[in-house]
Amino acid sequence: STWGGLSSELHAKARLKSNSQLTRRIAGSIARLRRPVTRCCYAAAPIVTLPEEISIELGLDDADDAEALRVVVARALGVGLGSLPELVVRKRSLDARKGRVRFHVLVGIGAPPESPLGEPSPREVALPARVVIVGDGPAGMFAAYALARRGIASVLLDRGKPVQPRRRDLKLLNQQGLVDSDSNYCFGEGGAGTFSDGKLYTRSHKRGNVRDVIEVLALHGAPSSILVEARPHIGSNLLPQVVTAIRERLESVGVEIRFGARVIELVVNA
């Protein structure tokens, strides 16, 4: 019995020691759970804000290469090609100074909202005509166009001839020296520059909405390159067709155009 009692006592002490160790473990676990948790944070990549436009230089071989344009713009901005949105060429000029030929290009970053060229379009005019325009040169033509956009009818007078008959008169002038005083390089559809010019060098905003004029010309057959070139040039071989297309557009909405109509006097009724 003595050995049995001793054995029971030893077992009881062992259980107490085991329970004490278990209690310490649980207390340690609770203490660890109560400690503030240190979270692992990762630095976010900085957001690159792209400008609305950027000026770059392109070589002659890259001027019409869309992929080369994207590469040069990405390099200039210090971003990857995949970070670039759609690019739009807004202006392009050729620079040959100091013997190095290259293009200066103003590039818009991000596609602009799409809108039709030359808006608003001419609409059916309300007759009878309330305006008389003398001369079918650029000023007279665009005056009639601006009025037609507002539905205002006009009569456009010119002492000369339409493009095709005028072309024959110029042939006689150049080959035989025969001058028609009303149909020559100065007078006729399109004005003085129809067969001798085609350049649109002004970009001065002081003279009005130059962009609108260029869009109207592009809408009626001028090359789309004039929309971005710093010195746009339609070409004297193409300009007569553009002038004819504008006249036909005006006539289609009710504008009256009279050729061979020389204005000799202005009568004012009181």
Side-chain angles (χ1 to χ4, degrees):
S1 61
T2 302
W3 285 104
L6 179 62
S7 176
S8 298
E9 184 179 352
L10 291 173
H11 279 295
K13 289 181 178 180
R15 284 197 297 272
L16 287 173
K17 184 177 181 181
S18 176
N19 289 339
S20 177
Q21 290 174 344
L22 179 60
T23 300
R24 285 196 299 271
R25 290 196 189 101
I26 292 173
S29 297
I30 293 173
R32 284 193 296 272
L33 289 173
R34 288 176 176 173
R35 290 174 187 169
V37 178
T38 303
R39 300 184 181 277
C40 181
C41 300
Y42 297 92
I47 299 175
V48 178
T49 302
L50 299 179
E52 293 184 358
E53 58 186 26
I54 185 173
S55 295
I56 61 171
E57 285 189 1
L58 288 177
L60 293 180
D61 295 333
D62 298 330
D64 297 314
D65 188 335
E67 189 58 30
L69 176 69
R70 291 185 65 83
V71 169
V72 174
V73 170
R75 187 185 304 127
L77 294 174
V79 300
L81 284 173
S83 301
L84 283 181
E86 184 177 345
L87 303 180
V88 180
V89 176
R90 293 182 178 171
K91 185 177 179 182
R92 184 172 68 179
S93 60
L94 184 64
D95 188 349
R97 292 174 296 179
K98 298 182 180 180
R100 188 169 69 90
V101 183
R102 70 275 191 196
F103 281 99
H104 293 292
V105 185
L106 180 63
V107 182
I109 299 174
E114 293 186 5
S115 59
L117 288 177
E119 289 292 312
S121 299
R123 55 190 174 92
E124 197 72 26
V125 298
L127 297 173
R130 297 184 293 157
V131 180
V132 175
I133 301 171
V134 180
D136 189 22
M141 181 190 310
F142 276 91
Y145 200 95
L147 291 170
R149 281 173 161 175
R150 293 161 177 79
I152 301 174
S154 62
V155 177
L156 185 55
L157 307 176
D158 196 280
R159 64 190 284 181
K161 299 178 182 178
V163 164
Q164 290 305 322
R166 186 181 176 195
R167 192 188 299 272
R168 291 191 288 270
D169 293 334
L170 292 177
K171 184 177 180 180
L172 291 174
L173 171 62
N174 293 326
Q175 294 182 355
Q176 302 179 28
L178 300 177
V179 179
D180 185 324
S181 60
D182 289 325
S183 179
N184 46 57
Y185 279 112
C186 294
F187 305 117
E189 185 175 19
T194 303
F195 293 98
S196 61
D197 203 342
K199 302 178 185 66
L200 306 167
Y201 280 0
T202 182
R203 288 286 193 185
S204 173
H205 296 290
K206 295 179 181 179
R207 302 188 181 189
N209 192 347
V210 176
R211 173 71 185 190
D212 182 43
V213 172
I214 291 177
E215 285 191 8
V216 170
L217 293 170
L219 181 65
H220 291 86
S224 59
S225 60
I226 69 172
L227 297 170
V228 298
E229 297 293 347
R231 291 187 173 270
H233 188 196
I234 297 177
S236 55
N237 58 330
L238 185 58
L239 184 57
Q241 302 172 38
V242 175
V243 169
T244 299
I246 294 176
R247 184 240 303 164
E248 292 173 347
R249 180 71 175 276
L250 291 174
E251 289 178 328
S252 72
V253 297
V255 175
E256 183 181 355
I257 302 176
R258 301 179 189 174
F259 293 103
R262 182 191 291 204
V263 176
I264 57 174
E265 186 179 0
L266 181 62
V267 179
V268 179
N269 293 321

